[in-house]
Amino acid sequence: MCKSRIEKATMSVRGVSSADWDVKKQKLRVEFDPSVTSLDKISKSIARVGHDTDKNKADDKVYEALPPCCHYR
């Protein structure tokens, strides 16, 4: 479930052409047009759906609402 949620949040950002979340490595591979978007915008989109990033922390209420299998903290 977290893979789908993270990829969907990433792909919702205008300028992102692909997103692949590696569950085991907890790494996201993203292809995007830097003239259209930025890593900061992508990071904020992921945090809004409940997942922390190196740049942004998810709101605690949103994080706690995630299924237990998606908790990474």
Side-chain angles (χ1 to χ4, degrees):
M1 286 190 274
C2 57
K3 177 177 173 62
S4 175
R5 184 180 311 99
I6 291 168
E7 291 173 351
K8 184 177 178 180
T10 304
M11 291 298 295
S12 73
V13 179
R14 190 172 150 262
V16 173
S17 56
S18 70
D20 181 47
W21 172 248
D22 186 319
V23 176
K24 288 184 181 181
K25 294 181 182 177
Q26 295 186 6
K27 297 281 182 183
L28 179 65
R29 182 168 188 263
V30 181
E31 291 185 29
F32 66 97
D33 183 342
S35 69
V36 178
T37 195
S38 66
L39 286 175
D40 189 55
K41 289 179 183 176
I42 295 167
S43 176
K44 286 177 182 174
S45 180
I46 295 167
R48 275 193 297 274
V49 298
H51 297 279
D52 291 349
T53 69
D54 291 342
K55 294 179 175 263
N56 300 97
K57 187 173 188 261
D59 179 88
D60 287 338
K61 287 183 182 181
V62 177
Y63 176 79
E64 291 301 324
L66 294 175
C69 62
C70 294
H71 289 186
Y72 290 109
R73 290 187 182 160

